[in-house]
Amino acid sequence: MNHTNTQEEAQRQAKPLAPKVKELVERTKSIILATVDAEGIPNSSYAPFVQVENTFYILVSFMAKHTKSLADGRKTSIMFIEDESATKQIYARERLTIEASTSQIERDSETWNTVVAQLKETHGKVVDVISEMKDFILIGLHPTKGSYVNGFGSAYFVDENLEIMEHRNDQNHQSK
C-alpha cells in the first residue's frame, strides 16, 4: 500500500515541539535588530548582547544607522535564531522574535558598569576598548511581547517575560 503524505496530512500529523525559549537565548551570542528611522525607513543589523534579568543590553556605535533609532526609543524588533549550520530544516529554523521598548543607559552609572563588565566577560576584552569610545552607547531592550517558532506547526505567543502564553495554531497552513 502506497502511503504518500500530502501537505494536508503532514500538517495534521505535525505536533508542536516543547518550547525551549530560554535555551535558544542562552545559545545565542548576538541578536538581529530591526529598527525604523524617523522617516519610516527600515534597517536591520545585529549586535552582541547580554541579558540581565528580563532586559537585553547592547553596546552600539552612533556610526551605525540603527543606533539613533534605538536611542530615540523608536519601535524595535529583535530576533534570536538558530544557526543555519545546526538546523535540520532551513524553513523551520528555531527562532524567537520580540517587540521591545528601548532605553539608553547613562554612561558610568551602576547599570552601565555592571552590564559592561558582563559584556566583557561574555564577549571579551574588545568591550574594554569600545566602551571607552564616546560614540558607543549602552541600550536596554525591554521585551513587550513576541513569538517563538521551533518547527512546522509549532509556534507560540510569548509575553514580556519570554513565557509561553499560548500555541499559535488557530489557522493551519493552506494549500492552493
Side-chain angles (χ1 to χ4, degrees):
M1 188 171 176
N2 186 1
H3 291 287
T4 305
N5 279 343
T6 65
Q7 269 187 320
E8 194 173 296
E9 266 180 36
Q11 181 60 34
R12 273 197 310 269
Q13 292 174 0
K15 296 217 178 358
L17 301 172
K20 296 182 178 178
V21 177
K22 290 176 175 67
E23 290 87 342
L24 175 61
V25 171
E26 289 170 2
R27 289 191 317 265
T28 308
K29 293 182 180 181
S30 63
I31 55 176
I32 297 171
L33 298 162
T35 59
V36 178
D37 69 15
E39 290 77 42
I41 298 172
N43 184 58
S44 61
S45 190
Y46 85 98
F49 77 96
V50 293
Q51 182 180 9
V52 178
E53 295 175 9
N54 198 37
T55 301
F56 300 99
Y57 292 94
I58 57 176
L59 194 57
V60 290
S61 168
F62 266 106
M63 295 181 80
K65 187 176 179 181
H66 59 267
T67 301
K68 180 159 179 33
S69 297
L70 292 166
D72 288 348
R74 288 189 175 59
K75 290 183 179 181
T76 301
S77 178
I78 60 178
M79 176 187 263
F80 302 81
I81 190 163
E82 177 183 30
D83 188 298
E84 286 182 4
S85 65
T87 190
K88 293 178 183 172
Q89 174 46 259
I90 197 70
Y91 281 99
R93 284 168 71 187
E94 182 183 11
R95 59 202 175 272
L96 171 65
T97 305
I98 301 169
E99 294 175 25
S101 62
T102 63
S103 62
Q104 185 173 338
I105 309 305
E106 187 177 324
R107 187 175 285 273
D108 295 322
S109 67
E110 184 178 336
T111 301
W112 170 281
N113 293 329
T114 300
V115 171
V116 166
Q118 287 190 354
L119 281 163
K120 179 182 175 185
E121 183 178 318
T122 303
H123 301 293
K125 293 181 181 182
V126 67
V127 174
D128 281 336
V129 176
I130 63 176
S131 66
E132 292 299 319
M133 296 178 177
K134 297 302 177 196
D135 63 303
F136 274 81
I137 62 171
L138 186 63
I139 297 287
L141 301 158
H142 314 280
T144 56
K145 63 181 176 179
S147 65
Y148 172 76
V149 176
N150 66 346
F152 291 118
S154 190
Y156 303 85
F157 293 110
V158 298
D159 66 14
E160 68 277 1
N161 298 311
L162 308 184
E163 298 292 334
I164 299 298
M165 291 172 37
E166 63 182 299
H167 186 250
R168 280 181 24 182
N169 196 20
D170 58 350
Q171 189 172 48
N172 292 325
H173 297 286
Q174 302 293 316
S175 298
K176 287 184 181 182

